Amino acid sequence: MIGRMEPRPDRILDLATPLRYLQGIGPARAEKLGAEGLATIEDLLLHLPFRYEDRSCFLPITALLPGVRGTVRGRVLSAALRRTRQRRLTIFEALVEDDSGSVRVLFYNQPYLRTLFTTGREVILYGETTIARRGRSLVLQSPQFEVLGDDDEAIHTGRIVPIYPRLPGFSSRAIRRIMHRALHLLPAVLPDPLPAGVAARRSFPPRRQALCEVHFPPPDTAPEAMLRRRAPAQHRLIFEEFFFLQLGFALARREVDAASSGRAALHVDDAVRARLRAVLPFRLTGAQKKALGEIAADLMSGRPMNRLLQGDVGCGKTMVALLAALLAVENGHQAAFMAPTEILAEQHHRSFRRLLAGRGYQVGLLTSGVRGPARRQLLNGLRSGDIPFVVGTHALGEEGVRFRSLRLAIIDEQHRFGVAQRARVRAKGDRCDVLVMTATPIPRSLALTLYGDLDLSVIDELPPGRKPVRTVMRGDEARSGVYHFLRARVAEGRQVYVVYPVIEESERGDLRAAAAMAERLRGVFPAISIGLLHGRLKAEERDEVMGRFLAGAMPILVSTTVIEVGIDVPNATVMVIEQAERFGLSQLHQLRGRVGRGEHESYCILMAGAEISDEGRRRLEVMCRTSDGFEIARRDLEMRGPGHFFGTRQSGIPDLRLGDVLRDHDILEDARREAFAAAALQRSGHRDALLQHLTRRWSGRLGMIEIG
Ligand code: ADP
Ligand code: MG
C-alpha cells in the first residue's frame, strides 16, 4: 500500500517551479513560504522532517492497551454526530472494526468528519487509547487518521510518518499532504547535479528517490539510521548541500590562484633560517613548528597563500606570524600585521620591537591615534620600503597607505573584522599572501564551512608549563569572600582584572555600571590603585591606564570587554567576570585567556547574577569543567547553533538546511574533497551545469562567495 510515488503523467512540475503553481498553495500561502526562504518546489522539498514516527505496524484492535500509542486499520461500522448538553461540544463518534474486534473513536468539534467517516470506509487510526469514563470500553480520542480512498496512499498513518518543523499557515497534516503532492508531480527522473560517478561511488539513491524517501521513508527503513540522518536518502541530500557550498569555495579559490600566477616565490636558505632563529626567545612547540612549516611552504611555492591559523588562546600564534613576516622581509618585501583594537596593535608593536631590537628591522605602528609628523614619516617609510614591517589597526586599509612591496598581510583575531576591511588591506599589495588568525578555536568542520576558501593550520598544543586556570562560579552572597581573595593575591604582588559586560545597545548604562564598580572597589580597597578601562576613553587616558597596569603599578583593572582579546600581562593572575551569564561561552573563554599566561597559579571567578537562567548556569558550568577551547567551542555550538556562535559581528555564516557541521563533519570532509576535485577538472560544459545549480542553491544564502 505504500506506493512508489510514480509520477502522475497529467502534470509534471520542475524542481524550479515557483510554489504558487502547486495545487493547494495559493499566492497568499506562497508569499508566506517565500518569507521563510521557500520559493520553489525544490526549496519546499528540502524542508525536511525533523523526526519520524513509526505508525506502520497495525495492531489488532483488541490488542490496543490504555495509555499506549498504536496504529489500527479497520472499517467504519457506524458513525454519528452528537452534541453534549452541558458544554455545547459536538462529538463525532465512530465505531471502527477489524477482524479482531471494534473500538470507539471520538473527535471533538470536527463535525465535517461526518462526510469522511462514512459507513464501510476503510480508515487508519493512530493514537493513544483511554478507558471511557462510563463503562469499561476502550476509546480512541482524537487520533491521527487517514481515510483510505480507492487508489489513495496512506500518508499520515500506516507508515513511517514524517514530522515537520512548523511552516506558517500550515498544519502538520497539510505540510505532509503538500509534500506528497509535490513529490507525485515530479518527473520520473531528475537530473543529477553531482559530477559523474560521485553518487555511484557512494551508492546514493537517485535524486528523485532520495527526495521521496526522506519525506516518506520506505517500510524497511531503519528508524535509528533516520534519526542519525544516515539513511542513504538523507546522506545524499546532506552531501549535495555541502558539495555545492564547498564548490563555491573551490571556485572562489581558483580565481584567486589564477589571478596570482606568475608571482615569484620566496626563498628560504640557511642564512635566513639562522636569522629567524636568533629572534626566538624560546623554543617553538611542535605544533608551532608544524604551522610555520605549512606557512613557509605556501610562501615558497608560487601559489598565493590564503591560510587560516587557528589555535586556542595562548598557544602562541603571534610568534608564528612574526616569523612568517620576517620571511617576507628577509626576501626584500614588506609585511603588515593588523589587530582589531588600538590597545592590541600597540601591545604587539611593543613586543615586536623588543624582539627585533638590534637586528636591523624597523617596525612601524599605524593606528588612528598616530597623527601629524609621526604619521607622515610612517607613510613615507611604507611607500619607500624603509619600514619593512608595520603593525596597526584597520587604519592600515585606509586610503593614503601605500607600500612599496607588501607581500604578506597578517590579520589577527580575524572574526573581529568585516570582509571589506580584510580585503582593503590585502589590496595594498600586489597579489598579496594572507594569513588570518583566530583565537576563537572552532571545530574544523565549522572552519571549513565558514572559511572554506582558506587552507587551515591548527596549533593544538600550548607552550610547556602552562597550568590550567582554576575556575569557579560564585553568587553575590560570596562577594566579600571574593574581595578577601583579591586582597590576598594583590598582597602577593599579583594583578587582577574585573570585567563588566557591555552589550552594544545599552552601552551607556553598562559603562555607568562599570564605572560604579570601579568606585565601589576603590571603597573596598582604599589603599590599592584601581584603573578603569573602556572603549570610550580618549587614547591618552587609555594609554595611561594600560601603561600603569602593564608596568605593574596598578594592581586592579576594572574593564569592559575591550581587554577580551590578545592582551598579554603575565603578572595578572585573577580574572573576575561580573554578570558572567551575560557572556557567550567563547567570549568567556577569551576573557579567561587573559590570565594563566605566566608562571603563577591563576584563577577565574565567574560572578553569577541572581536571575541567572538554566542555560546561563549550564554555560558557566562548562567553563568550570574544561579549559579546552575546542571543547568549549563545540559546546557553544551545540547550545546556540552556528548562527549565534560569533555574536553579531560575524556575518556570512551559511545557513545550512540539511547538514549540521557537528553531526555531519564526515560528510562535509567527503563533499569538500569531491568539490575541490570537480573545480580542478574544469570541463567547461559540466562546469556550467554545476555553476547553475550552485547559483540556484546558494545565491542569496551566501553573501560571502562571489561567483563569477
Ligand atoms: P595567542 O595564540 O593567543 O595569540 P600569544 O601568541 O599571545 O597567544 O602567546 C601567548 C604567550 O605565550 C605569549 O606570552 C608568548 O610569548 C608565549 N609563547 C608563545 N610561544 C611560546 C613557546 N613556544 N614557548 C614559551 N612561550 C611561548
Ligand atoms: Mg593573539
Side-chain angles (χ1 to χ4, degrees):
M1 67 167 293
I2 287 136
R4 314 250 323 280
M5 289 187 230
E6 296 304 338
R8 288 186 191 163
D10 49 335
R11 236 173 113 229
I12 301 292
L13 294 181
D14 193 55
L15 279 178
T17 308
L19 279 176
R20 64 176 177 282
Y21 297 117
L22 184 62
Q23 190 204 335
I25 300 183
R29 279 176 144 187
E31 197 168 316
K32 275 200 189 140
L33 292 174
E36 298 289 302
L38 308 186
T40 63
I41 299 280
E42 181 171 40
D43 293 335
L44 177 76
L45 291 177
L46 293 179
H47 182 77
L48 296 195
F50 67 97
R51 66 186 182 88
Y52 301 85
E53 249 172 41
D54 191 348
R55 304 178 186 170
S56 61
C57 212
F58 298 126
L59 289 171
I61 283 176
T62 47
L64 287 173
L65 290 174
V68 180
R69 292 181 162 266
T71 310
V72 297
R73 176 177 184 166
R75 261 174 213 292
V76 179
L77 263 189
S78 62
L81 196 62
R82 57 190 167 83
R83 220 168 264 282
T84 54
R85 245 170 289 148
Q86 321 88 311
R87 290 212 285 148
R88 298 168 103 226
L89 274 173
T90 55
I91 298 182
F92 176 72
E93 174 169 347
L95 193 61
V96 172
E97 177 195 60
D98 69 3
D99 292 343
S100 72
S102 63
V103 65
R104 282 165 67 206
V105 188
L106 299 181
F107 294 95
Y108 302 98
N109 285 338
Q110 286 171 276
Y112 67 91
L113 291 179
R114 200 173 23 178
T115 57
L116 288 174
F117 279 67
T118 50
T119 308
R121 268 280 180 215
E122 193 159 359
V123 294
I124 294 173
L125 305 166
Y126 169 79
E128 188 178 315
T129 13
T130 50
I131 299 181
R133 229 185 298 153
R134 271 173 294 152
R136 340 205 93 244
S137 63
L138 284 180
V139 179
L140 262 174
Q141 298 205 41
S142 309
Q144 299 268 329
F145 66 88
E146 182 90 0
V147 178
L148 298 183
D150 296 335
D151 59 348
D152 230 3
E153 268 188 72
I155 58 174
H156 306 297
T157 52
R159 64 179 312 140
I160 300 172
V161 171
I163 313 287
Y164 292 96
R166 283 193 58 81
L167 281 177
F170 290 87
S171 68
S172 63
R173 285 175 71 90
I175 300 178
R176 220 175 275 139
R177 204 174 308 119
I178 278 174
M179 293 295 182
H180 198 256
R181 187 171 303 143
L183 288 167
H184 260 296
L185 296 175
L186 289 182
V189 177
L190 293 174
D192 189 339
L194 296 173
V198 167
R201 279 198 292 281
R202 289 164 185 76
S203 311
F204 285 156
R207 196 140 193 267
R208 181 175 196 282
Q209 186 187 338
L211 286 169
C212 288
E213 290 186 3
V214 288
H215 291 283
F216 296 98
D220 55 349
T221 308
E224 171 269 345
M226 289 303 277
L227 278 180
R228 283 191 304 116
R229 302 294 189 274
R230 284 299 182 279
Q234 294 166 312
H235 191 167
R236 177 185 173 112
L237 296 181
I238 292 170
F239 181 95
E240 272 182 21
E241 180 170 57
F242 283 134
F243 177 87
F244 284 100
L245 172 64
Q246 294 297 327
L247 183 69
F249 286 129
L251 294 174
R253 183 56 192 267
R254 276 186 72 79
E255 228 159 84
V256 173
D257 289 2
S260 305
S261 63
R263 207 185 46 154
L266 298 189
H267 285 287
V268 181
D269 55 22
D270 286 344
V272 172
R273 275 192 206 96
R275 280 172 66 81
L276 295 197
R277 211 171 298 122
V279 167
L280 271 175
F282 38 64
R283 292 167 64 100
L284 294 181
T285 63
Q288 282 173 314
K289 278 189 199 150
K290 179 159 175 281
L292 183 63
E294 289 163 354
I295 292 165
D298 281 351
L299 298 176
M300 291 157 67
S301 76
R303 192 172 170 255
M305 174 165 76
N306 277 288
R307 187 169 283 279
L308 171 68
L309 175 59
Q310 70 160 335
D312 208 342
V313 200
C315 70
K317 293 181 287 292
T318 319
M319 183 54 68
V320 172
L322 172 65
L323 295 175
L326 295 184
L327 275 183
V329 170
E330 285 290 332
N331 277 265
H333 296 288
Q334 288 168 295
F337 186 111
M338 182 161 81
T341 65
E342 291 194 23
I343 294 179
L344 264 186
E346 288 157 10
Q347 175 186 291
H348 285 311
H349 179 242
R350 247 189 325 268
S351 77
F352 292 160
R353 280 231 310 224
R354 202 167 49 233
L355 287 166
L356 301 178
R359 309 211 177 265
Y361 304 114
Q362 261 206 73
V363 188
L365 173 69
L366 181 62
T367 66
S368 49
V370 179
R371 299 198 196 97
R375 189 181 186 90
R376 268 197 300 283
Q377 203 181 352
L378 180 93
L379 293 181
N380 285 335
L382 293 179
R383 200 170 306 139
S384 67
D386 290 344
I387 299 179
F389 185 29
V390 63
V391 181
T393 57
H394 57 269
L396 288 169
E398 278 166 19
E399 229 170 290
V401 180
R402 290 211 182 79
F403 291 82
R404 188 178 60 79
S405 168
L406 179 64
R407 176 63 189 243
L408 173 62
I410 297 162
I411 297 164
D412 197 13
E413 312 295 348
Q414 70 88 30
H415 66 284
R416 292 297 200 99
F417 294 100
V419 177
Q421 281 170 320
R422 296 196 297 252
R424 268 199 291 281
V425 173
R426 164 188 295 191
K428 297 289 176 187
D430 170 27
R431 296 169 294 179
C432 195
D433 289 305
V434 179
L435 179 66
V436 300
M437 306 200 283
T438 178
T440 303
I442 55 178
R444 175 180 157 86
S445 56
L446 179 60
L448 294 182
T449 307
L450 282 172
Y451 315 116
D453 54 339
L454 305 178
D455 294 314
L456 190 57
S457 289
V458 178
I459 301 184
D460 53 5
E461 179 183 358
L462 293 179
R466 289 281 166 79
K467 293 189 218 118
V469 178
R470 299 171 65 153
T471 304
V472 294
M473 181 182 353
R474 291 285 180 265
D476 222 29
E477 73 287 347
R479 196 166 279 279
S480 63
V482 170
Y483 291 160
H484 187 74
F485 180 80
L486 300 188
R487 198 189 309 274
R489 299 290 80 73
V490 169
E492 288 170 3
R494 304 286 80 77
Q495 288 167 280
V496 174
Y497 296 103
V498 179
V499 174
Y500 240 84
V502 170
I503 308 298
E504 259 135 342
E505 308 91 76
S506 59
E507 200 165 357
R508 273 171 198 287
D510 285 324
L511 280 183
R512 233 177 284 128
M517 187 77 219
E519 273 319 303
R520 180 170 169 183
L521 289 175
R522 284 177 186 133
V524 176
F525 305 108
I528 296 177
S529 162
I530 297 177
L532 173 64
L533 194 69
H534 57 72
R536 298 242 175 137
L537 287 184
K538 289 202 193 73
E540 305 85 73
E541 295 170 307
R542 197 192 56 219
D543 288 351
E544 212 263 330
V545 173
M546 223 31 233
R548 284 171 33 119
F549 191 72
L550 278 170
M554 177 185 280
I556 300 184
L557 181 63
V558 177
S559 168
T560 62
T561 48
V562 291
I563 59 141
E564 177 185 335
V565 290
I567 298 285
D568 191 20
V569 182
N571 191 46
T573 60
V574 187
M575 164 67 61
V576 180
I577 304 177
E578 296 284 348
Q579 297 173 28
E581 71 280 3
R582 289 176 67 186
F583 294 98
L585 266 179
S586 298
Q587 215 180 359
L588 288 171
H589 182 63
Q590 285 302 314
L591 286 168
R592 179 168 61 184
R594 296 312 107 222
V595 296
R597 304 175 80 85
E599 61 200 290
H600 306 286
E601 179 92 60
S602 292
Y603 308 86
C604 176
I605 303 172
L606 305 168
M607 299 300 293
E611 276 137 49
I612 183 170
S613 66
D614 286 350
E615 212 226 82
R617 183 170 298 277
R618 269 202 301 282
R619 246 181 287 143
L620 301 191
E621 282 164 1
V622 170
M623 288 299 294
C624 296
R625 205 167 47 235
T626 178
S627 54
D628 176 344
F630 284 97
E631 172 64 21
I632 287 171
R634 206 167 297 122
R635 291 302 309 265
D636 203 7
L637 265 174
E638 280 166 12
M639 287 186 189
R640 293 195 294 166
H644 299 281
F645 187 66
F646 290 100
T648 50
R649 278 195 192 84
Q650 180 77 30
S651 58
I653 294 185
D655 132 48
L656 294 167
R657 287 187 186 154
L658 320 179
D660 177 305
V661 291
L662 292 181
R663 184 191 63 209
D664 304 322
H665 61 94
D666 51 340
I667 303 182
L668 168 59
E669 297 275 1
D670 184 28
R672 179 176 169 87
R673 257 189 317 277
E674 288 288 1
F676 274 73
L681 272 183
Q682 226 185 0
R683 275 189 297 120
S684 61
H686 198 76
R687 194 154 169 259
D688 287 348
L690 282 176
L691 263 179
Q692 217 175 32
H693 193 83
L694 170 65
T695 315
R696 199 169 84 213
R697 295 267 310 233
W698 283 104
S699 69
R701 286 212 274 158
L702 196 61
M704 66 182 179
I705 298 181
E706 269 136 46
I707 301 148

